[in-house]
Amino acid sequence: MALRVGQYALVLAVAATINFALPHLAPGDPITYLYGGTEQGLTPAQIDELGAQYGLDRPLIEQYGAFWSGLVQGDLGISVEHRQPVVDVLAEHLPWTLALVGVSTGLSVLLGTLLGAWAAWRWGTRRDTAAVLSVLAADAMPGFWIAMVLIAVFAVQLGWFPSYGATSIDASGAAWLTEVAQRMALPAATLVIASLGGFFLLSRAAMVTVLDEPFVRRARAAGLRDRRVALRHALPNALLPVYTNLTLALGAVLSGAVVVETVFAYPGLGRLIFDAVTVRDYPLLQGAFLVVTVGIVLANLVADLTYPLLDPRVRRARPALEPA
Amino acid sequence: MITRTLRLALSLLAVALLLGGCAGGGDRGGGADPDRLRIAVQKDFGPLNFITMSEDQLLFLVYDRLVAPSPYAREPRPWLAKEVRQVDPVTWELDLRDNVTWHDGRPFTAEDVAFTVEFMKTAKSGTYTHHVTTVPRIERVDVLGPHRVRMNCAFACPFLGSVTLAHLPMLPRHVWSTVREPNRHTEPPIGTGPYRLVSYEPGRAYRFEANPAYFAGPPRVRELVMPIIPSPATTFTALRTGEIDTATGEVPPELVAQFEATSGITLVRTTPLQYPEVRMNHLRAPFDQAGFRRALSLAVDRHELNDTVWLGRGRAATKGYPHPDSPWTNPNLSTPYQPDEARRQLDALGFRDTDGDGVREGPAGPLRFTIKVDGAVPIRVRAAQLVAEHLTEVGIATRTEALDTGSLASLNETDDFDMYVNEITAHGVADPTQFIMSHYSGYLWELPDRPYPEMERVIDEWKAAPSIEARKAVSFRMQELFNSAPTAIPLHYPEGVLAYRPEAYDGWAESPGYGIVHKWSLLPRPVAEAANALTEPR
């Protein structure tokens, strides 16, 4: 256990270093965005002076040292674009992404798995073929296109849902919750449609295999009802690959859904990162990448720790795999 | 059984979504509330610290200028000043209004004016600092009384009343004198303007409330909510659904026809004082030769660009630099398309195709160049491709290279380019003093480090010109000189198309350089007209 935690700590340290280096490797800096550059009348000397105010004139290794020094104190610096502490900006945007992508991932898993099991139960029938074709067609559609179709139908034509944002600026209490739910409906639906396919196919394939297992045949032969056989005996055994896929997807939750957040002007982490790249907002990029990295590492850690609980074969196999 | 469960789950989901959708309208709907307007803005401009790049349309809801409405208007009028008079070529006296208060209730006085000018000298604001340190250079501000100041310039400053003072926002001394790091100041701005910024949510929205004590009378709309919506497609969908009432951004060309046919939405055609241009790297051979740059300008077919890329919306940029609709631009400028003349001039400069491959050679080898362009703006990519074709036709092999927005912005400072397509704003192409400053800052030239004797002579004349008319005459010659060997080639003078929902508010009107969303649209019409702030309807 300690070894594993150490390994993850090392991965985090290396990832944090890469996160620091990547934004600095791209050409440009935030000064032009912030102050307008020579086009607006700043001279090169003034631009250099402004860069110095943001510490951009310091050697990269010194900036790297300052980055780690701040990191260990929980200080990720000040966002150049928003002129606020990075921690505050992330705290403002992270919950929206967690809510949006969390809800949509949960729905994708639930619907994809159940639909996959349903299709597997009817494997080879017309219904199965129709389900596979429908889900694959949805899976092949780009997220932004799904978003535009949903907006055109449900926001413009039917007027059921708002087309942008996460909430209105002055809503509060129950009205705020209603606002949030309404505004989340279309982006979440977009993500669900776009990501349903993976879970559906995994669930269907695993279920088809499990349904052929002797214990399923025996359960059927024992006269158990189809529903009980499917939900109590077959499905739990088919969930392992779905669970693996889910843990990987959970890591990606924090990186948000850039395209969907942009189309719906949703104030999540994905759009924040996209804007920060344009502005070359180094502190914000480093902070956001760090959050994403930590999310992915944690998801992997959770997967590592929980998989043996779900699959006893992993527990039993381990001693045999370890060197003497 | 599973079928039944699935049906149930799907039915529940559908019901939940329907209930959610029908459970109330939030702040969407017809927008009939006359007290509030919802205006989409495309970018997050931070907490409106004037030192950094902010949107004037938002900033000057909060702040006022001594002279209104802006340097881009033909005849600006005194605003926070009651009277502005030039005493001699280098001296101005201003009488200020005595009924103006800051948003926190403190009175606006001559001390604030003197402080603002001194503060701007050290503020390092790209937009404002040079107006007090370089062109013009305000050496001293004397407070002659609670509401009277005198300004002295280092050289003649006939534009002070109509350009400089029509540009600088007035700052409260009691606030900014205590700010230790002005560049990082994030408190809500305190101005004298018709609106107060009461809420800023990073990446999400701004909210302004009317200043009931505004000296020119309270604005017509009590509250402005401005959601930040970067995508034009999302913005104009929200306008169509009635979730917003208007937007600061322009309607994309592909949506114009659709919006023209949409009831409940009105389109306004404006003249944005900005344009896309190809900037040449005059530090790099052979762009360092005036004749070479002239030949390039002759080779670009602006009419084809206007017709093909911009579908005829706007005008071909055949009048060069700066913007022809600025009151400070020589109306007789001409930058024609003459490819044969371009070929002749290139031949005369010694750039000839000696090996017959269609590409001219110079002392450093074949003329092969790259035009860099922002890959996120397809219309500019297409323009760059067409310009590359035009140049290739006269024997200058040119290709385009798409960059991300951040990398393209860095070219301004790194000089790592042959040519690139940039969108330049009103401050750059409609402010006559910025045209001079761009020759010092490195954008159009790098004076004094990089000599340009001909231009320097004209600038010296410009500095000595004592009156507006004399200075305009010199400005016109300076513009002719620039266009004879440009370092930036305007490609297209765009037409702006803005849209709003008239049932929500019908008071929108264009102000030069600012579209329709600005404080003048929100003030009683006689007030805006008294400031000469509105463009005649087109």
Side-chain angles (χ1 to χ4, degrees):
Chain A
M1 179 68 182
L3 178 66
R4 187 164 297 172
V5 171
Q7 286 171 340
Y8 277 106
L10 183 64
V11 167
L12 264 180
V14 171
T17 302
I18 294 171
N19 291 345
F20 170 84
L22 276 179
H24 288 271
L25 289 175
D29 62 45
I31 301 302
T32 305
Y33 174 87
L34 268 185
Y35 296 92
T38 57
E39 168 193 335
Q40 293 294 326
L42 280 177
T43 63
Q46 287 174 321
I47 291 170
D48 290 345
E49 209 173 314
L50 285 165
Q53 287 184 16
Y54 289 86
L56 300 175
D57 62 330
R58 293 154 69 190
L60 204 56
I61 191 73
E62 218 175 283
Q63 294 183 46
Y64 179 62
F67 166 69
W68 270 108
S69 164
L71 200 60
V72 294
Q73 296 172 60
D75 177 9
L76 297 174
I78 306 288
S79 161
V80 172
E81 183 187 7
H82 302 286
R83 288 76 143 179
Q84 292 189 344
V86 168
V87 172
D88 293 353
V89 177
L90 292 174
E92 173 90 16
H93 288 74
L94 189 57
W96 294 113
T97 288
L98 284 175
L100 172 63
V101 191
V103 164
S104 59
T105 305
L107 282 173
S108 292
V109 172
L110 185 70
L111 294 177
T113 305
L114 289 176
L115 200 59
W118 177 86
W121 197 259
R122 287 155 184 77
W123 186 79
T125 66
R126 282 184 185 173
R127 286 180 178 184
D128 173 44
T129 308
V132 171
L133 288 177
S134 305
V135 171
L136 286 180
D139 202 47
M141 287 189 280
F144 76 88
W145 190 78
I146 298 171
M148 296 312 290
V149 170
L150 291 181
I151 288 173
V153 175
F154 293 102
V156 178
Q157 296 300 327
L158 299 174
W160 289 357
F161 299 104
S163 64
Y164 79 93
T167 183
S168 64
I169 194 166
D170 53 359
S172 60
W176 183 86
L177 276 176
T178 308
E179 273 281 313
V180 169
Q182 283 182 315
R183 290 177 185 268
M184 191 185 286
L186 292 185
T190 303
L191 290 173
V192 168
I193 294 170
S195 60
L196 192 68
F199 293 109
F200 168 82
L201 291 175
L202 273 174
S203 165
R204 178 176 172 274
M207 194 73 173
V208 165
T209 308
V210 170
L211 288 177
D212 205 32
E213 295 281 341
F215 74 89
V216 174
R217 290 203 299 272
R218 183 175 172 188
R220 278 175 152 169
L224 294 181
R225 289 189 299 174
D226 283 356
R227 182 180 171 186
R228 188 176 174 81
V229 173
L231 294 181
R232 294 290 297 275
H233 296 275
L235 191 56
N237 285 283
L239 282 180
L240 284 173
V242 175
Y243 179 74
T244 308
N245 201 36
L246 173 64
T247 51
L248 293 174
L250 278 179
V253 160
L254 293 180
S255 64
V258 177
V259 173
V260 170
E261 287 183 359
T262 302
V263 172
F264 288 99
Y266 207 82
L269 204 58
R271 206 185 110 199
L272 190 73
I273 292 173
F274 179 79
D275 291 344
V277 168
T278 300
V279 179
R280 300 290 191 264
D281 190 341
Y282 298 143
L284 185 54
L285 279 173
Q286 288 156 6
F289 287 163
L290 186 72
V291 169
V292 173
T293 306
V294 169
I296 291 172
V297 168
L298 278 180
N300 277 281
L301 185 61
V302 168
D304 256 9
L305 296 177
T306 55
Y307 210 80
L309 301 177
L310 293 175
D311 187 354
R313 289 170 297 182
V314 177
R315 279 198 302 255
R316 280 197 297 271
R318 183 171 297 151
L321 292 174
E322 284 179 357
Chain B
M1 292 300 160
I2 290 180
T3 310
R4 207 176 301 155
T5 309
L6 269 174
R7 276 184 190 152
L8 181 64
L10 289 172
S11 304
L12 283 174
L13 181 66
V15 169
L17 289 175
L18 282 171
L19 285 176
C22 303
D27 70 353
R28 65 191 300 276
D33 184 356
D35 278 351
R36 168 193 267 201
L37 284 175
R38 299 152 305 172
I39 304 165
V41 295
Q42 284 178 300
K43 279 171 68 176
D44 184 337
F45 297 99
L48 299 189
N49 179 335
F50 80 95
I51 297 175
T52 52
M53 283 289 282
S54 283
E55 185 79 319
D56 275 8
Q57 291 157 285
L58 272 62
L59 196 68
F60 286 99
L61 293 171
V62 175
Y63 289 110
D64 277 314
R65 292 152 159 157
L66 290 168
V67 174
S70 72
Y72 318 131
R74 275 188 196 281
E75 289 175 23
R77 307 274 168 82
W79 190 243
L80 285 179
K82 205 161 50 182
E83 190 186 341
V84 177
R85 54 187 174 275
Q86 187 171 13
V87 177
D88 61 48
V90 296
T91 310
W92 287 74
E93 281 187 5
L94 289 78
D95 288 325
L96 309 177
R97 292 181 189 274
D98 56 9
N99 60 339
V100 179
T101 55
W102 298 102
H103 291 157
D104 59 6
R106 303 272 287 264
F108 164 74
T109 68
E111 296 287 350
D112 294 309
V113 176
F115 171 80
T116 298
V117 172
E118 291 305 319
F119 187 80
M120 290 292 183
K121 289 180 181 175
T122 56
K124 290 190 185 52
S125 152
T127 310
Y128 302 113
T129 302
H130 69 86
H131 279 295
V132 291
T133 60
T134 314
V135 273
R137 191 185 314 147
I138 302 177
E139 294 234 295
R140 211 175 66 237
V141 182
D142 295 318
V143 175
L144 305 179
H147 297 100
R148 176 173 287 185
V149 292
R150 180 191 295 137
M151 295 188 186
N152 281 91
C153 304
F155 50 85
C157 52
F159 281 3
L160 192 85
S162 46
V163 177
T164 311
L165 302 182
H167 203 165
L168 297 177
M170 284 298 114
L171 308 174
R173 178 187 173 188
H174 62 279
V175 173
W176 286 93
S177 61
T178 61
V179 174
R180 288 180 58 202
E181 285 191 283
N183 294 37
R184 299 186 181 192
H185 186 61
T186 57
E187 294 298 312
I190 290 179
T192 57
Y195 284 92
R196 292 181 302 120
L197 176 65
V198 293
S199 153
Y200 159 61
E201 296 184 28
R204 291 178 57 202
Y206 293 91
R207 190 157 68 89
F208 296 87
E209 277 181 6
N211 170 12
Y214 192 49
F215 76 91
R220 296 166 66 182
V221 180
R222 188 183 57 81
E223 183 184 20
L224 307 175
V225 173
M226 298 194 175
I228 298 164
I229 310 179
S231 158
T234 310
T235 297
F236 291 103
T237 299
L239 182 69
R240 224 179 133 191
T241 58
E243 293 169 79
I244 59 170
D245 303 313
T246 188
T248 57
E250 291 174 8
V251 181
E254 65 272 18
L255 290 181
V256 170
Q258 185 187 340
F259 271 52
E260 277 172 340
T262 304
S263 64
I265 291 178
T266 299
L267 296 187
V268 185
R269 291 172 199 280
T270 64
T271 304
L273 293 177
Q274 61 186 64
Y275 51 67
E277 63 182 9
V278 169
R279 188 180 170 219
M280 292 176 269
N281 189 347
H282 59 86
L283 300 175
R284 183 179 283 186
F287 298 97
D288 57 350
Q289 296 184 44
F292 185 75
R293 299 197 303 272
R294 187 179 307 126
L296 260 59
S297 176
L298 289 166
V300 175
D301 185 352
R302 283 89 159 177
H303 284 290
E304 190 186 6
L305 283 163
N306 185 52
D307 296 342
T308 307
V309 179
W310 281 280
L311 307 176
R313 297 185 195 281
R315 286 166 290 164
T318 53
K319 285 180 167 290
Y321 204 107
H323 199 290
D325 292 338
S326 163
W328 313 104
T329 299
N330 182 346
N332 300 317
L333 294 177
S334 174
T335 52
Y337 169 54
Q338 294 175 339
D340 291 336
E341 178 61 15
R343 289 187 189 95
R344 195 191 64 72
Q345 293 196 15
L346 288 168
D347 286 343
L349 289 168
F351 298 110
R352 294 170 182 276
D353 178 14
T354 53
D355 56 9
D357 66 350
V359 179
R360 294 169 185 272
E361 285 87 34
L367 299 184
R368 295 185 187 279
F369 303 113
T370 302
I371 300 180
K372 296 181 176 177
V373 62
D374 187 342
V377 189
I379 204 161
R380 279 188 227 159
V381 175
R382 184 67 193 111
Q385 288 170 335
L386 211 51
V387 171
E389 286 176 26
H390 296 157
L391 298 183
T392 303
E393 280 168 17
V394 298
I396 301 170
T398 309
R399 67 183 189 90
T400 54
E401 181 185 336
L403 301 179
D404 73 285
T405 307
S407 297
L408 193 90
S410 75
L411 296 178
N412 219 358
E413 326 316 330
T414 61
D415 292 326
D416 180 23
F417 65 95
D418 300 320
M419 294 172 274
Y420 73 88
V421 178
N422 185 40
E423 180 87 16
I424 187 159
T425 58
H427 183 231
V429 297
D431 176 334
T433 55
Q434 176 56 39
F435 183 70
I436 309 278
M437 190 60 211
S438 289
H439 282 81
Y440 285 93
S441 69
Y443 189 73
L444 297 178
W445 203 263
E446 282 186 18
L447 294 173
D449 296 342
R450 187 170 160 74
Y452 190 169
E454 217 175 342
M455 182 63 81
E456 286 171 275
R457 271 196 299 277
V458 186
I459 290 176
D460 285 342
E461 277 183 58
W462 186 89
K463 285 181 174 176
S467 67
I468 285 191
E469 286 314 311
R471 182 158 279 190
K472 269 179 96 168
V474 183
S475 285
F476 287 3
R477 279 199 285 125
M478 195 185 299
Q479 293 160 7
E480 284 171 4
L481 175 61
F482 177 85
N483 283 299
S484 70
T487 51
I489 303 173
L491 299 179
H492 168 72
Y493 305 131
E495 175 189 72
V497 180
L498 299 158
Y500 66 89
R501 300 188 73 86
E503 90 271 13
Y505 186 70
D506 205 14
W508 303 112
E510 181 184 8
S511 188
Y514 291 124
I516 60 171
V517 178
H518 45 71
K519 69 178 163 204
W520 308 107
S521 281
L522 298 160
L523 290 170
R525 186 53 59 92
V527 173
E529 285 171 350
N532 198 25
L534 304 179
T535 307
E536 290 296 316
R538 301 172 69 202

